Amino acid sequence: MGKYILRRLIIALPSLLGISLVLFVLLALAPGDPFGELATNSNVPPEVRAALRVKFGIDDPIFVRYFRWLVAMLQGDWGFSFASRIDVDKLILQRVPTTLFVVGSSQILALAVALPVGVYAAMRPYSIFDQIANTFAFIGFSLPTFFTGLLLILVFSIQLDWLPFVYRADLNSTGWRFYWDHIRQSIMPVTVLGLFQGASLVRYVRSSVLDVIRLDYVTTARSKGIGERKVITKHVVRNALIPVVTLVALQMPIVFGGAIVTEQIFRVPGIGSLLISAMLANDTPVVMAVTFVIATLVILCNLIADFIYAWLDPRIAFR
């Protein structure tokens, strides 16, 4: 297994390098200047502005700057944020836990909704429950996250005043009150992302279970007198989850993309809102670091999916 993990990580390196190179070139060619505010600030002497540009190599050729950034990144130096005036690694560490909590909770919610609904709908195809589930699934993944987010804010924050619509990282409460306040402010962003992903997963779970439930080994298991619940859980669902795991792993970039929009709506202090603010400020070190973190998380999610394959199907071996 160790050799397999090492081989997968080596294969991922060219992808990370290619993504970083393309993104760095695009950011360098984009209009704007990270020191544009200093140029219009009369309190900053011209020699100070010139010294800062020389120090950070703003006027150097693009590939020289990229090579300098890559070497520094490999050495653990992620650079300095022009906009936040803080080291990029400290800035990322402040934001990543919040994003992982929101994204992770939303995926758990999506699977908790999609698996039972999809399996039950496949066991009773074209029934009333199946038609209702398909209808809500179509509605769910047809509505964008920014619309459902604003709708939840309008209903639960403005009309009912049940939930806060601004996610605060500096909660003043302590003890159990702190955890309760944290849960309350996480309900809407987690629900928006979770239901959006769960709506699409319902259709895939239903389709996968319908394909497996008609196979011969399922009929054989029933003919042996095995209970229907055991046939569904052990023989049907276990094998039907393999394509679903593939879908979840491939949709992780979409999940993080939806998290970026959701974080903007609810003012969640995650890496998504950090990426948007860094792009608006032309803060190249932060944009590169956030993109690198997201790409790494997606690669790790696909690696975890490989281990889940082996758990679901013992015939799969790592070689």
Side-chain angles (χ1 to χ4, degrees):
M1 183 180 295
K3 293 182 179 179
Y4 175 80
I5 296 175
L6 181 61
R7 185 167 64 250
R8 286 294 304 269
L9 294 177
I10 292 175
I11 293 174
L13 287 178
S15 300
L16 292 175
L17 288 175
I19 293 172
S20 64
L21 177 60
V22 172
L23 182 62
F24 194 95
V25 172
L26 291 176
L27 291 174
L29 296 177
D33 189 344
F35 292 102
E37 295 182 1
L38 296 179
T40 58
N41 192 343
S42 59
N43 296 324
V44 180
E47 56 271 16
V48 175
R49 295 198 297 265
L52 288 174
R53 298 186 72 87
V54 172
K55 177 182 179 180
F56 291 102
I58 300 299
D59 298 323
D60 292 341
I62 294 177
F63 289 101
V64 173
R65 291 156 54 190
Y66 172 75
F67 183 75
R68 186 189 300 119
W69 171 85
L70 181 61
V71 172
M73 175 70 78
L74 294 176
Q75 294 176 352
D77 182 9
W78 289 26
F80 185 79
S81 173
F82 304 140
S84 302
R85 307 294 190 268
I86 188 176
D87 291 335
V88 175
D89 55 351
K90 296 179 180 179
L91 191 60
I92 295 295
L93 289 176
Q94 294 174 358
R95 302 294 191 100
V96 167
T98 303
T99 296
L100 290 180
F101 172 76
V102 173
V103 172
S105 301
S106 66
Q107 285 298 99
I108 294 175
L109 176 62
L111 293 174
V113 172
L115 291 180
V117 173
V119 172
Y120 193 80
M123 292 173 58
R124 291 163 175 78
Y126 309 111
S127 63
I128 296 178
F129 179 86
D130 185 26
Q131 295 177 15
I132 294 176
N134 286 329
T135 301
F136 279 102
F138 279 119
I139 295 174
F141 65 74
S142 298
L143 296 177
T145 54
F146 68 84
F147 177 82
T148 54
L150 294 176
L151 184 62
L152 291 183
I153 290 175
L154 180 63
V155 174
F156 294 102
S157 295
I158 298 177
Q159 297 292 335
L160 301 176
D161 195 21
W162 288 355
L163 302 172
F165 63 88
V166 175
Y167 193 105
R168 294 179 54 194
D170 54 343
L171 293 175
N172 298 323
S173 55
T174 58
W176 289 105
R177 182 68 182 180
F178 171 81
Y179 295 104
W180 172 242
D181 291 341
H182 192 66
I183 291 174
R184 286 182 67 244
Q185 69 178 3
S186 304
I187 289 176
M188 287 197 294
V190 169
T191 301
V192 168
L193 280 176
L195 294 183
F196 178 76
Q197 293 298 317
S200 60
L201 287 177
V202 166
R203 296 286 299 169
Y204 285 99
V205 171
R206 177 184 180 276
S207 177
S208 183
V209 172
L210 281 176
D211 290 338
V212 174
I213 205 170
R214 300 188 182 100
L215 297 179
D216 294 337
Y217 73 88
V218 177
T219 305
T220 303
R222 285 171 174 162
S223 65
K224 291 181 179 179
I226 301 176
E228 183 68 15
R229 178 175 296 182
K230 190 174 182 180
V231 170
I232 296 298
T233 56
K234 186 176 180 179
H235 297 280
V236 176
V237 175
R238 192 182 182 99
N239 291 279
L241 284 181
I242 294 179
V244 177
V245 171
T246 304
L247 177 68
V248 173
L250 293 177
Q251 281 191 340
M252 287 310 298
I254 302 176
V255 174
F256 281 104
I260 291 175
V261 177
T262 305
E263 288 180 5
Q264 285 294 102
I265 296 173
F266 296 99
R267 297 295 185 266
V268 178
I271 58 176
S273 58
L274 177 63
L275 178 62
I276 297 298
S277 60
M279 294 179 65
L280 294 175
N282 202 19
D283 199 351
T284 302
V286 176
V287 177
M288 295 297 299
V290 171
T291 307
F292 180 82
V293 169
I294 293 178
T296 302
L297 290 175
V298 171
I299 291 173
L300 290 178
C301 289
N302 282 272
L303 187 60
I304 293 173
D306 291 341
F307 295 128
I308 297 177
Y309 293 152
W311 175 69
L312 292 173
D313 191 348
R315 296 172 299 177
I316 298 177
F318 298 108
R319 296 177 181 177

